[in-house]
Amino acid sequence: MTAQVIDGRKAAERLSHEVAAEAASLREAGLHVGLATVLVGDDLAAGVYQRRLGTVAGRLGVPVRQIKLPGETSESALMERIRALNEDPDVSGILLLRPLPARISQARAFAGLAPEKDIESVHPENAGLLVLGVPRFVPSTAASVFYLLDHWLEETGVDRAEFYRRSSITVVGRSDNVGRPCLALAAHRNAAVQSVDEWASRAGTLGWHTRRADVLVVAAGRAGLIRAEHVNDGAVVIDVGINPVRDESGRTTLVGDVDFGSVVNRARALTPVPGGVGPVTDLWLIRNTIHAARELAVQRREAQ
Ligand SMILES: NC(=O)C1=CN([C@@H]2O[C@H](COP(=O)(O)OP(=O)(O)OC[C@H]3O[C@@H](n4cnc5c(N)ncnc54)[C@H](OP(=O)(O)O)[C@@H]3O)[C@@H](O)[C@H]2O)C=CC1
Ligand SMILES: Nc1nc(=O)c2c([nH]1)NC[C@@H]1CN(c3ccc(C(=O)N[C@@H](CCC(=O)O)C(=O)O)cc3)C=[N+]21
């Protein structure tokens, strides 16, 4: 079997028309929409994402503030910046890029975000709402994974609700902003959900788990982790990983967590990197920023 390649750029193009229209209607209504991205240190993948968001937001006419703090920034200095953004009326969405330096508590930093501006739903209140099935914001990466899956099912003519109900979905990786939200969304679709982390790899049981999946979502941040031997015949494989690697000429390129060349001969459908989950993630984050602006305006009106 040669897998169908799920085209994230095409999906992003479709979504961008919707998001651009929403952004325009907000501007006409005179509402403040603005994105602030905060990067602490110099992680390569996070830097790529911060730059991309700048470009995508610019194209959609959404003002963006790209804040770069040195790796040695203290937790209290970061919290001070977050507080200022929480209060800034020109900022409707705040994205705190991961990874944060080990010295800084991610949990405390997330809890310091104003829930109304926490467009990735990492604040405990929003993370709780997500698990309960009533998200304030659907986190952009998980939203992108299921947007691509839902559309692929629709195009293929498969009944979505029934497909999910009888599917086993395995998510490799369970970080707060990627793996865990994917598990929550999979559970909302009534799938049988499995979560795998690095311990499974160490225990040698990774393949045992992943081969049971009808849908395999991979978000580990390990280039080439998943090969054909890890994949069930006819599974749908969604590759979230973004791994900068140097090629022979010394140039940095991005590869996923899935060994595309071997898995393409085993899966039924597969997302590439680049051009899969990434482009949709960008747009979804901007969309959440727009929705936040609308909600903030309602709150301001009610407070008057
Ligand atoms: N395409 C997109 O739109 C996006 C891509 N990304 C990319 O997705 C990847 C994951 O990001 P993120 O969740 O933030 O990363 P984290 O490093 O925060 O989490 C990685 C997770 O994967 C698990 N893991 C690591 N190695 C293995 C292994 N060998 N076998 C099984 N599980 C493993 C870890 O397990 P444990 O818990 O045991 O440590 C952890 O749960 C990165 O490459 C990132 O750049 C992120 C966001 C958006
Ligand atoms: N709080 C937080 N949320 C994140 O979502 C987050 C993060 N921190 N830290 C870093 C990682 C990495 N990440 C990327 C997402 C999309 C592309 C992307 O769009 N890539 C293009 C390729 C770009 C190119 O080729 O230049 C694609 O997949 O097609 C890249 C990187 C989000 N991350």
Side-chain angles (χ1 to χ4, degrees), residues 9 43 45-49 52 95-99 110 120 140-141 177-178 242 254 272-282:
R9 291 205 177 107
D43 181 78
V48 169
Y49 190 42
R52 281 185 66 86
L95 175 73
L96 194 51
L97 287 146
R98 297 179 61 247
F110 285 167
E120 271 200 316
S140 47
T141 311
N177 68 319
V178 185
I242 301 273
L254 299 179
V273 176
V277 174
V280 181
T281 302
D282 302 342

Side-chain angles (χ1 to χ4, degrees), residues 218-291:
V218 192
R222 301 277 185 272
L225 176 70
I226 298 297
R227 300 180 300 278
E229 73 214 53
H230 297 100
V231 177
N232 193 8
D233 271 326
V236 181
V237 180
I238 308 289
D239 187 359
V240 181
I242 301 273
N243 306 292
V245 292
R246 262 180 202 288
D247 63 16
E248 304 89 63
S249 62
R251 253 179 9 115
T252 302
T253 57
L254 299 179
V255 301
D257 289 352
V258 174
D259 175 31
F260 189 92
S262 72
V263 173
V264 78
N265 296 316
R266 176 72 58 96
R268 180 171 177 200
L270 170 65
T271 61
V273 176
V277 174
V280 181
T281 302
D282 302 342
L283 281 167
W284 209 281
L285 196 84
I286 307 291
R287 182 189 225 192
N288 284 353
T289 306
I290 292 170
H291 291 183

Side-chain angles (χ1 to χ4, degrees), residues 63-251:
V64 57
R65 207 173 300 164
Q66 303 182 55
I67 299 166
K68 286 196 178 71
L69 302 175
E72 52 285 357
T73 302
S74 68
E75 187 175 306
S76 60
L78 174 64
M79 299 304 269
E80 198 43 59
R81 290 301 283 261
I82 294 175
R83 260 195 299 278
L85 293 170
N86 286 345
E87 278 158 25
D88 188 331
D90 291 331
V91 171
S92 61
I94 307 171
L95 175 73
L96 194 51
L97 287 146
R98 297 179 61 247
L100 290 172
R103 278 174 301 100
I104 296 180
S105 155
Q106 180 177 288
R108 276 197 294 268
F110 285 167
L113 295 165
E116 300 78 14
K117 297 189 178 185
D118 165 35
I119 46 178
E120 271 200 316
S121 280
V122 288
H123 182 282
E125 180 181 320
N126 293 338
L129 291 170
L130 175 67
V131 170
L132 293 172
V134 284
R136 178 182 264 137
F137 302 108
V138 182
S140 47
T141 311
S144 169
V145 166
F146 282 93
Y147 182 81
L148 290 175
L149 270 172
D150 287 348
H151 275 271
W152 179 77
L153 289 169
E154 203 167 275
E155 274 173 23
T156 316
V158 176
D159 182 90
R160 229 190 274 173
E162 198 204 317
F163 173 86
Y164 286 121
R165 249 194 326 265
R166 60 177 168 72
S167 288
S168 163
I169 301 187
T170 300
V171 180
V172 181
R174 54 172 180 196
S175 67
D176 293 338
N177 68 319
V178 185
R180 257 188 246 282
C182 284
L183 291 165
L185 296 192
H188 298 162
R189 284 166 169 75
N190 301 313
V193 180
Q194 284 196 92
S195 164
V196 183
D197 66 7
E198 192 162 5
W199 290 102
S201 280
R202 292 200 192 160
T205 57
L206 177 67
W208 183 81
H209 288 286
T210 57
R211 274 192 298 273
R212 293 162 62 195
D214 303 302
V215 176
L216 182 59
V217 179
V218 192
R222 301 277 185 272
L225 176 70
I226 298 297
R227 300 180 300 278
E229 73 214 53
H230 297 100
V231 177
N232 193 8
D233 271 326
V236 181
V237 180
I238 308 289
D239 187 359
V240 181
I242 301 273
N243 306 292
V245 292
R246 262 180 202 288
D247 63 16
E248 304 89 63
S249 62
R251 253 179 9 115

